[in-house]
Amino acid sequence: MTKSYTKAQIRNITRRFGLIPLKSSLVSSLYRKNAVIQVRAKKGTYALKPFSRTKMIRSNTIQQMEQAASMVRLLKKRKYRYMPAWLPTHSGKLWTLYQGTPFYVSQWIKGRGLGTAEDFEKLGWALATLHATPIGLHRIGRGRSPTFQQLRIWKNQDRLFQSRIKQISRHDTKSRNWYNAFGKDCKRLSRRAWRDLQDASITRLLQKEKRSPSLIHSDITIPNVIISNTGQLKIIDWDRVKVGSVYADLAKALMNTTQFNPEFVQSLLKGYQKRKPLSRTERKIVTALYKLPREAWHASRHPIRSRDREILDNWDQSWPLRLQIIHILQEWSMYKRK
């Protein structure tokens, strides 16, 4: 159920951050209605956001909010400049609890979306800077590396997709037509990716990964990257920031922002490697992760939902473009740096 907020509630929350709102308006995101509240105050314009937990993590909403705030505080300490500033409350915390929901306030970034090769080179640099930010941890904890953990989740999603799409296609004509056209290709692409990830050099690298943990954004998408009016690139929506797989974060960013444009893909990678050069093995990992048809996995979960249906309906247009980018990435992964 979508939640709305009264002016009195907004005023009550923002005052905890030292703001007196002059005007406020609810703004919807691509996936959620009333996702953020734009607040105009004498000090400037800000984003007041209710924090929502991710179901992929067992911890509760408060624990996840505390983790995100601690990571944001760390990035501020490290002077990471590609993130809007978060405002502290009167007590110094970066968030507050109101009627059971955590809220935080950050700068409202005015600007435009990604549109040029230069923009994507900036994004690559900003993402690499995040991944290279020292976090002062010597180990992630027990268990496998972040990439191994992500692979386990994606393998489960792949298996569910294989069984789910067959069931759906028996009862839905559109899903059946999609499955007949692209189902086998998706399976083939997944098999190749899983096979590539079994390479001995990749296995050795991932076994060492937990010794040097890195921060990831987890949700680099077109709406979450803004070129400000002053020309600075800012990444917004840091709710899912955590210690994780830089390779998965980069592969997802390539898929979710470049719109299968070869120039944009190459520019993002150029900017990334200027800041954080990748070895041949690392490039192989990113390429293999990009191959996985995660959009199809996601869309098959709710094929009746309009947005997921749109993903499947547009697959025939994006499929040849996707294969073109995979070819570019495979050449990139085999290139020997001098």
Side-chain angles (χ1 to χ4, degrees), residues 80 82 114 117-129 220-221 224-225 227 233-235 250 253-254 257-258 267-269 271-272:
Y80 183 75
Y82 303 100
L114 295 164
E118 182 183 1
D119 294 342
F120 282 91
E121 188 170 338
K122 288 181 180 179
L123 174 58
W125 181 280
L127 190 58
T129 303
I220 301 291
T221 58
N224 285 343
V225 184
I227 306 297
L233 182 140
K234 295 290 183 180
I235 301 172
L250 177 54
L254 288 167
T257 64
T258 60
S267 294
L268 196 158
L269 293 173
Y272 190 97

Side-chain angles (χ1 to χ4, degrees), residues 21-244:
L22 302 175
K23 186 177 180 181
S24 61
S25 56
L26 297 171
V27 180
S28 299
S29 70
L30 188 62
Y31 303 103
R32 184 176 302 161
K33 193 174 181 181
N34 301 341
V36 65
I37 305 160
Q38 185 188 63
V39 177
R40 296 180 183 177
K42 287 184 178 181
K43 295 181 179 180
T45 305
Y46 300 89
L48 170 63
K49 188 170 183 187
F51 182 89
S52 59
R53 69 180 290 269
T54 174
K55 297 178 181 179
M56 300 294 292
I57 303 176
R58 294 180 181 178
S59 55
N60 61 40
T61 304
I62 303 301
Q63 291 171 329
Q64 290 185 24
M65 179 73 258
E66 288 178 338
Q67 174 181 292
S70 67
M71 298 301 182
V72 167
R73 194 178 292 278
L74 174 62
L75 287 170
K76 180 180 179 181
K77 182 179 179 180
R78 301 292 190 228
K79 297 183 179 180
Y80 183 75
R81 60 189 181 92
Y82 303 100
M83 174 182 66
W86 284 34
L87 268 63
T89 64
H90 292 302
S91 65
K93 291 179 64 175
L94 291 180
W95 62 279
T96 188
L97 192 65
Y98 180 79
Q99 295 183 351
T101 300
F103 287 83
Y104 66 88
V105 173
S106 63
Q107 289 177 317
W108 185 273
I109 305 300
K110 298 179 181 179
R112 60 173 176 82
L114 295 164
T116 67
E118 182 183 1
D119 294 342
F120 282 91
E121 188 170 338
K122 288 181 180 179
L123 174 58
W125 181 280
L127 190 58
T129 303
L130 171 65
H131 294 167
T133 298
I135 59 179
L137 298 175
H138 299 291
R139 54 180 295 181
I140 295 172
R142 296 179 181 179
R144 293 184 170 182
S145 73
T147 302
F148 272 128
Q149 293 173 1
Q150 183 62 71
L151 290 178
R152 184 173 58 183
I153 294 171
W154 282 349
K155 282 183 179 179
N156 287 334
Q157 291 178 354
D158 192 10
R159 282 193 289 266
L160 287 173
F161 166 77
Q162 306 290 353
S163 59
R164 186 186 299 116
I165 196 66
K166 289 182 180 179
Q167 295 174 1
I168 296 172
S169 63
R170 294 193 189 104
H171 307 287
D172 181 78
T173 302
K174 285 189 175 182
S175 296
R176 181 164 57 252
N177 292 338
W178 183 91
Y179 179 75
N180 290 336
F182 301 106
K184 291 183 180 179
D185 288 329
C186 284
K187 291 180 182 179
R188 189 180 302 113
L189 206 56
S190 291
R191 284 198 301 269
R192 290 176 180 173
W194 297 129
R195 182 195 62 202
D196 293 346
L197 289 165
Q198 292 176 354
D199 184 275
S201 63
I202 291 178
T203 301
R204 287 193 298 270
L205 179 64
L206 296 186
Q207 287 173 343
K208 300 176 182 178
E209 184 184 30
K210 61 182 179 181
R211 301 176 190 172
S212 53
S214 302
L215 287 182
I216 65 170
H217 180 275
S218 303
D219 193 24
I220 301 291
T221 58
I222 290 175
N224 285 343
V225 184
I226 301 173
I227 306 297
S228 73
N229 291 338
T230 59
Q232 295 179 315
L233 182 140
K234 295 290 183 180
I235 301 172
I236 64 172
D237 198 357
W238 289 81
D239 297 36
R240 305 291 177 251
V241 60
K242 63 179 181 179
V243 174

Side-chain angles (χ1 to χ4, degrees), residues 273-285:
Q273 292 193 111
K274 278 184 177 180
R275 178 64 180 82
K276 188 177 185 292
L278 296 173
S279 68
R280 189 173 181 179
T281 301
E282 289 176 310
R283 284 179 273 138
K284 286 181 179 179
I285 297 173

Side-chain angles (χ1 to χ4, degrees), residues 254-267:
L254 288 167
M255 178 62 68
N256 295 338
T257 64
T258 60
Q259 302 177 70
F260 305 105
N261 183 315
E263 183 182 17
F264 292 166
V265 168
Q266 291 167 338
S267 294

